[in-house]
Amino acid sequence: MTSEAFSFAEVFSYESLVHAVSGAVGSVTAMTVFYPLDTARLRLQVDENRKSKSMPAILAEIVKEEGLRAPYRGWFPVICSLCCSNFVYFYCFHSLKASWLRSKQSAPSSDLIIGIIAGVVNVLVTTPLWVVNTRLKLQGSKFRSADIHPTSYSGILDAFVQIIRDEGVGALWNGTLPSLMLVLNPAIQFMIYEGLKRQLRKGAHKELSSLEVFIIGAVAKAIATTVTYPLQTIQSILRFGQFNESTKKSQLLTSLRTIKCLLLNRVRKYGMLGLFKGLEAKLLQTVLTAALMFLLYEKISSSTFRLMGLTNKHYKKH
């Protein structure tokens, strides 16, 4: 009974809350700084007829065709989704880790398993927000593909209402299956990040420098993104809701058959490299964003723990 009570206390603790808030604040700040890069990345993923170019060239095209505010189109819904998503992920990851390890040293295998569980919870809870923000972010864009139909949403709530009315509640979870497969992305990222952090500390309970945190955050995200990028592209296409299939097949939008179909179609049209279209933009955006996010997360959480008098305990758990 005592063991169960201890586990319950670890899950619902101030420390888990500090990790969650720090992760959410860090991610929102980092995404705001590098948001135009994400706009260019998403445009390359869903607009098949847009040629891959350098990041400045893509952004220059968007600004020229759609105005100066276009690179930040959809910023608010993305930030709302990101804030919720990272709060849930960081909270689940660190509460599960504290409950599972019980003051023992963590290992790459445990970090990976905990990361996958936290990712599954996060996907199931926050996918509707990501579907809506993908639609809003691409609304009003000038596409090269003629088969993409324009949408007209006045805001987050209106997007929810229209999607449910026109496509059904299930459409809010479009792309859930690739998203569940993509829980490997943050799981791999956290496994590498935590592993590199342990190596740099070499058993000493010390705080890493800002440069060290930035570099290992960037390395972890670069590896995770490259490994899972083809599925990220499919996820974006499904969330956008513009995948043309018959009515019968449309019920399978989140099935393995649809993922396979989309992957094969992309390979037939553009070759194997087509699966990695936009990777340069994605790496530039996601690596810089993740590195800054981890840096802010570590600084905010360590400062908060220091104020709470939990500094030593915080380092020992990692």
Side-chain angles (χ1 to χ4, degrees), residues 101-170:
L101 297 177
R102 304 286 183 81
S103 300
K104 293 184 293 186
Q105 184 73 17
S106 61
S109 57
S110 61
D111 287 336
L112 183 63
I113 294 170
I114 292 169
I116 290 173
I117 296 171
V120 169
V121 174
N122 179 39
V123 165
L124 296 177
V125 171
T126 65
T127 290
L129 286 171
W130 286 111
V131 168
V132 167
N133 93 56
T134 299
R135 306 278 186 100
L136 288 171
K137 188 170 183 179
L138 291 168
Q139 184 170 268
S141 302
K142 295 185 183 298
F143 295 106
R144 301 294 191 273
S145 299
D147 56 351
I148 293 180
H149 308 294
T151 56
S152 180
Y153 306 123
S154 62
I156 297 175
L157 291 178
D158 183 56
F160 271 110
V161 171
Q162 285 197 46
I163 292 170
I164 292 171
R165 184 191 64 205
D166 299 337
E167 304 171 46
V169 175

Side-chain angles (χ1 to χ4, degrees), residues 199-217:
Q199 289 298 315
L200 287 174
R201 283 176 178 161
K202 295 178 181 177
H205 304 138
K206 65 176 183 177
E207 185 175 351
L208 299 181
S209 69
S210 298
L211 181 60
E212 288 174 324
V213 172
F214 191 89
I215 290 173
I216 64 174

Side-chain angles (χ1 to χ4, degrees), residues 14-223:
Y14 283 117
E15 289 179 67
S16 297
L17 186 61
V18 170
H19 283 298
V21 172
S22 301
V25 172
S27 62
V28 164
T29 306
M31 176 57 85
T32 299
V33 172
F34 297 114
Y35 190 81
L37 301 182
D38 191 56
T39 297
R41 179 273 308 174
L42 186 58
R43 201 67 65 85
L44 282 170
Q45 284 184 325
V46 303
D47 191 357
E48 293 187 349
N49 290 342
R50 185 179 288 272
K51 296 179 180 179
S52 294
K53 297 179 181 178
S54 65
M55 184 65 66
I58 293 291
L59 287 173
E61 273 186 2
I62 294 172
V63 170
K64 181 180 179 181
E65 295 173 3
E66 303 168 34
L68 286 171
R69 297 172 61 184
Y72 274 91
R73 180 184 291 118
W75 171 84
F76 183 71
V78 168
I79 291 303
C80 289
S81 303
L82 190 67
C83 184
C84 294
S85 183
N86 276 279
F87 183 92
V88 170
Y89 191 89
F90 275 84
Y91 191 97
C92 289
F93 183 85
H94 288 284
S95 60
L96 288 171
K97 190 172 182 178
S99 180
W100 188 342
L101 297 177
R102 304 286 183 81
S103 300
K104 293 184 293 186
Q105 184 73 17
S106 61
S109 57
S110 61
D111 287 336
L112 183 63
I113 294 170
I114 292 169
I116 290 173
I117 296 171
V120 169
V121 174
N122 179 39
V123 165
L124 296 177
V125 171
T126 65
T127 290
L129 286 171
W130 286 111
V131 168
V132 167
N133 93 56
T134 299
R135 306 278 186 100
L136 288 171
K137 188 170 183 179
L138 291 168
Q139 184 170 268
S141 302
K142 295 185 183 298
F143 295 106
R144 301 294 191 273
S145 299
D147 56 351
I148 293 180
H149 308 294
T151 56
S152 180
Y153 306 123
S154 62
I156 297 175
L157 291 178
D158 183 56
F160 271 110
V161 171
Q162 285 197 46
I163 292 170
I164 292 171
R165 184 191 64 205
D166 299 337
E167 304 171 46
V169 175
L172 291 174
W173 276 269
N174 277 355
T176 296
L177 189 55
S179 295
L180 287 172
M181 299 170 105
L182 279 169
V183 300
L184 283 172
N185 184 300
I188 292 170
Q189 175 187 345
F190 270 73
M191 178 185 72
I192 295 172
Y193 178 78
E194 296 289 337
L196 290 173
K197 198 159 67 170
R198 283 191 294 271
Q199 289 298 315
L200 287 174
R201 283 176 178 161
K202 295 178 181 177
H205 304 138
K206 65 176 183 177
E207 185 175 351
L208 299 181
S209 69
S210 298
L211 181 60
E212 288 174 324
V213 172
F214 191 89
I215 290 173
I216 64 174
V219 169
K221 191 61 178 179
I223 295 172

Side-chain angles (χ1 to χ4, degrees), residues 215-253:
I215 290 173
I216 64 174
V219 169
K221 191 61 178 179
I223 295 172
T225 297
T226 303
V227 170
T228 60
Y229 187 76
L231 276 175
Q232 291 183 52
T233 299
I234 301 307
Q235 178 193 57
S236 294
I237 293 170
L238 289 174
R239 283 176 173 173
F240 189 33
Q242 299 279 351
F243 176 54
N244 292 325
E245 279 283 69
S246 68
T247 305
K248 291 182 179 179
K249 288 186 178 180
S250 67
Q251 297 173 359
L252 302 173
L253 282 178

